[in-house]
Amino acid sequence: MDGNHTLGLLMQGLNHVTLQSLVMIGVACVLMYLGIVRKYEPLLLLPIGAGCLLANLPLSPLLAEDGMLRVLYDMGIRNELFPLLIFIGIGALTDFGPLLENPRLVLLGAAGQFGIFLTLLLALLLGFSRPEAASIGIIGAIDGPTSIYVSGLLAPHLLGPITVAAYSYMALVPIILPPIMKLLTTQSERRIRMPYSQRQIRRRTRILFPIVVTVLVGTLVPFATPLIGMLMLGNLMKESGVVERLTQASSNEIANAVTLFLGLAIGSTMVGSEFLKPSTLAILVLGLVAFTVDGVAGVLFAKLLNRLSGGKLNPLIGAAGLSAFPMAARVVQRVAHEEDFENFLLMHAMGANAAGQVASVVAGGVLLALMGAG
Amino acid sequence: MRRYTLGIGGREFVVDVRELDADRFEVAVGEQRFEVTLQGDEDLPDARVTPALPAVGATASAAPKATPPQRTVRPRAAGSSLSALAAPMPGVILELHVKAGDRVERGQAVAVLDAMKMHNLIGAPRAGVIAEVCVAAGQAVGHGDTILRFGD
């Protein structure tokens, strides 16, 4: 008996291996493969994959009460600290200059959020609850930290699949956007050249911009205050030029450390019993719908603006109205350059992209307000 | 801002052109200032200058070679000049793929410009022989700065 008991104790790891945990270890390996081999958002997918792997090992002590992954989750996901810290770094890296040079581009940022709300309605039709549907819709922001922030507040049990979907689709921006852009535009539209605007933005304007946006958005959409506040804090530090060390730390050391913690903690939520559900598949599909509709709405709205401007606006830049900064803008430049090697839309696309960054945060705040989150 | 020093009929005119927007310029000729709106921008190699100039020679030290009649100022933009290639946006020249004396085809990559952390291939606006490469790898350029000139 004692021998059997001892053997049981020694073998308890093997005894607790389940089919679900094996499948999730497979999922973890796929995420790590995508990050390491395919270079899809490796900074996120590798830690998420590792967190998922560690969480699904039998009797994982890392998920116990004082286990490291549980501690990371409690200290940075449950209270939304990690996505907000990352937003400071994003703000410190974002150049709003192209948007300030051409403020009309803010309209494209707004159009790029259409998919969020359409997907929310689709998710409701599929039977998801209102908070769940809002969390799924926010994948359409194509903004990892915003998705984590909103779903962490509204539907924490869906955090794993929503985060994986948000970051996966962010990595797929260069693959998913170009066909949409080409399908919805004519060759002559894609060849429209937009002269580079050389308007000089004063330092005072660059410094006032984050303060004014924070006050404005924070007043109009109070639920967006944490996100927009941290985004603009990072930008204010960058533009002020007087806290170079803090700017560097926010965009490098802090952002890197928090990215590791965030990835591990998100990965730890991907345990088989929560992840291996039909709802996960639905979330991945709906996320793709949200992303696609964002791209379509952005390009179509830009086509409308092109008509109104007498053919001066290249509709391709509408696709940059997403949040995936600066990847979406680069994709726009690449597609335009393929059509006409003398066409450089990059600065205009960057303006639309920066607008998309702000708009997605506002959209997140609007969703939280609609859901009555606190 | 760009300064054109024009010699017309033996008199010298200094014209300062400041770009306010993509199609708006402030032009200062001596003490007078004008706000100019650019209505069109195209190369018209066979265009005749109107009104016809008197027989006296007119030279320009920095002005473009042809001035279409419908506009006051010709902006500097990549590929718009047949004699030179200008930077389409601010950035840093990362690589130069050509040197003086090289023959290039239209569209051939001649330089890589790093703008907003994106590597942009800059193509030759026409076929021809490069007379001069005006920038070096690692050099920061502004919008409209000349990257290279053609010799033919």
Side-chain angles (χ1 to χ4, degrees), chain B residues 38-92:
Chain B
L38 179 69
Q39 304 286 354
D41 173 27
E42 55 190 318
D43 284 309
L44 298 173
D46 300 325
R48 300 179 70 86
V49 177
T50 52
L53 287 172
V56 291
T59 58
S61 61
K65 65 176 188 175
T67 305
Q70 74 272 30
R71 58 197 161 131
T72 313
V73 179
R74 179 195 174 95
R76 298 161 298 136
S80 64
S81 163
L82 288 177
S83 61
L85 167 65
M89 53 191 163
V92 173

Side-chain angles (χ1 to χ4, degrees), chain A residues 185-243:
Chain A
T185 54
T186 64
Q187 192 179 50
S188 60
E189 283 175 332
R190 292 194 292 276
R191 289 186 168 180
I192 293 174
R193 294 186 186 180
M194 296 174 65
Y196 173 65
S197 162
Q198 211 178 10
R199 186 187 300 169
Q200 292 293 319
I201 304 299
R202 288 183 190 165
R203 179 165 176 262
R204 190 172 60 185
T205 308
R206 287 178 174 270
I207 290 173
L208 282 175
F209 176 76
I211 299 171
V212 170
V213 169
T214 303
V215 173
L216 204 64
V217 174
T219 307
L220 292 175
V221 193
F223 282 107
T225 298
L227 287 169
I228 201 76
M230 294 306 108
L231 182 73
M232 292 298 153
L233 167 64
N235 193 247
L236 177 63
M237 294 195 303
K238 169 181 180 277
E239 298 297 350
S240 71
V242 294
V243 284

